[in-house]
Amino acid sequence: MTTLAVSRGKAYFRLAKLDIVDYYLGVVVVWTLLAPMSRFDPDVLATVGVFLLGEVFVIAAMVALDDLTGYRDGSDITNYSPDDARRKRYRKPLVAGTLNENQVLRFAWATGVVGAALWLAAIAMAPHRPVWTVVLIVVTYFFSLQYSWGVKLSYHGFQEFFIAALGWSLVLAPYGLATGEFTGFALAQALLFGLGPLLFGVYSNTNDVDGDRRVGRPTVAALTSARGNMFFVIGVSAAELALILAVPALGGPWWFPLALSPTIVSRGWQLWLGFAVGDILRARMLGIRIHRLTVLTLVLVNLVVIT
């Protein structure tokens, strides 16, 4: 393999953000939410596996289109300026010059088509196909590609909601295909899972506020004052805490809040680091780690409770 091919492959890998696995962890939560006899059922495993593969392609298309839009409107060039050593330009192939616009657009459409085909295959082979699940998958696919392209949801004030909603969908959809059910405990875990990406995304938005304001991308950080944005992030963190405390009433064990206490404590540290110390990018990185810790805790809780 030539050096050019290797370099091009790395550029596409970075374009697809394949090193950011946080949304893909939802299928692990789903698998542990299943009854023990279903966890190794060949039909269930095949369905969840094909759904996950489709998810990788759909998200690759979504983030490629997001990069293309961010490059064209200049926000990525601003946010990944050469004098900011902590924002690594090579993670944005268009900004770094390792891919051109036509290559990114072709990649986005190709991965979008493959992702659609795989999700259709997952629906066709699923043990269950409740209407709400099929509708959820169709809606998730449509709006994923419209996040920064077409109707540009993230440019019309829906960015924060979409980041969380995508996580909710990527737990509830495969759970519905595998079980045909909709339970309070599964819903609570889906909501917690979706809040994880949101609670590192809002710190990214806080850091990127100047570039987003310049191009009119209406994140909460761009629309409000620094103080207003801080209270918004505190509010989202408080909503996560309230949800954790409510899980026992939604079918979870009474000790669920105790199990999630590391997440609760870590959120306080994240807020202090981001808004008291003012180190937004460290707070963002901590948010990624908190999300993964939360997923691990959910998995362990499910393996104990669902036996």
Side-chain angles (χ1 to χ4, degrees):
M1 186 177 294
T2 67
T3 302
L4 177 60
V6 171
S7 177
R8 187 66 52 79
K10 288 181 179 178
Y12 282 117
F13 182 91
R14 290 163 181 158
L15 178 66
K17 308 295 185 289
L18 292 178
D19 58 325
I20 305 297
V21 301
D22 300 279
Y23 276 124
Y24 308 137
L25 298 176
V27 296
V28 183
V29 176
V30 170
W31 184 77
T32 59
L33 277 167
L34 302 176
M37 67 180 65
S38 298
R39 288 174 185 160
F40 296 99
D41 180 281
D43 292 337
V44 171
L45 288 175
T47 297
V48 174
V50 171
F51 183 89
L52 172 60
L53 189 57
E55 180 182 332
V56 172
F57 279 90
V58 172
I59 290 178
M62 179 186 76
V63 295
L65 291 172
D66 185 58
D67 273 15
L68 182 57
T69 300
Y71 177 74
R72 286 179 172 177
D73 67 22
S75 59
D76 278 354
I77 295 173
T78 299
N79 295 332
Y80 288 80
S81 61
D83 58 349
D84 189 347
R86 297 191 301 175
R87 301 306 298 270
K88 299 172 182 176
R89 288 167 66 86
Y90 68 79
R91 293 186 55 78
K92 294 286 186 176
L94 284 167
V95 177
T98 53
L99 292 174
N100 61 45
E101 292 186 34
N102 287 334
Q103 289 170 325
V104 170
L105 188 58
R106 286 196 297 268
F107 175 84
W109 292 130
T111 51
V113 169
V114 173
L118 287 168
W119 274 1
L120 287 173
I123 293 171
M125 66 196 304
H128 306 276
R129 288 180 289 275
V131 173
W132 68 265
T133 302
V134 175
V135 171
L136 180 62
I137 293 172
V138 172
V139 170
T140 301
Y141 178 82
F142 175 79
F143 285 112
S144 293
L145 269 61
Q146 300 295 310
Y147 173 67
S148 295
W149 194 262
V151 300
K152 295 185 178 180
L153 285 176
S154 64
Y155 285 75
H156 295 284
F158 293 97
Q159 191 203 64
E160 289 84 2
F161 175 78
F162 176 84
I163 290 172
L166 181 61
W168 304 337
S169 299
L170 294 178
V171 171
L172 291 174
Y175 182 77
L177 293 178
T179 69
E181 299 177 349
F182 186 92
T183 68
F185 194 35
L187 174 62
Q189 294 200 30
L191 293 175
L192 281 173
F193 181 83
L195 287 175
L198 177 59
L199 279 166
F200 58 78
V202 290
Y203 287 88
S204 289
N205 289 346
T206 301
N207 183 78
D208 297 345
V209 63
D210 292 336
D212 288 338
R213 282 175 178 163
R214 186 171 302 172
V215 301
R217 194 171 194 175
T219 65
V220 171
L223 291 173
T224 65
S225 64
R227 184 177 178 83
N229 178 61
M230 179 185 70
F231 281 118
F232 170 72
V233 177
I234 291 172
V236 175
S237 302
E240 181 188 56
L241 172 60
L243 180 58
I244 290 171
L245 297 177
V247 167
L250 296 171
W254 66 266
W255 44 266
F256 186 87
L258 295 176
L260 270 290
S261 57
T263 294
I264 297 170
V265 172
S266 297
R267 287 297 181 209
W269 170 252
Q270 185 186 23
L271 285 168
W272 184 84
L273 187 62
F275 295 102
V277 176
D279 198 335
I280 292 296
L281 289 180
R282 277 184 63 198
R284 175 190 180 275
M285 183 56 66
L286 178 60
I288 294 174
R289 294 177 180 138
I290 294 171
H291 175 64
R292 295 173 183 177
L293 173 64
T294 301
V295 169
L296 175 62
T297 306
L298 293 177
V299 165
L300 294 176
V301 168
N302 291 339
L303 291 176
V304 170
V305 173
I306 305 174
T307 58

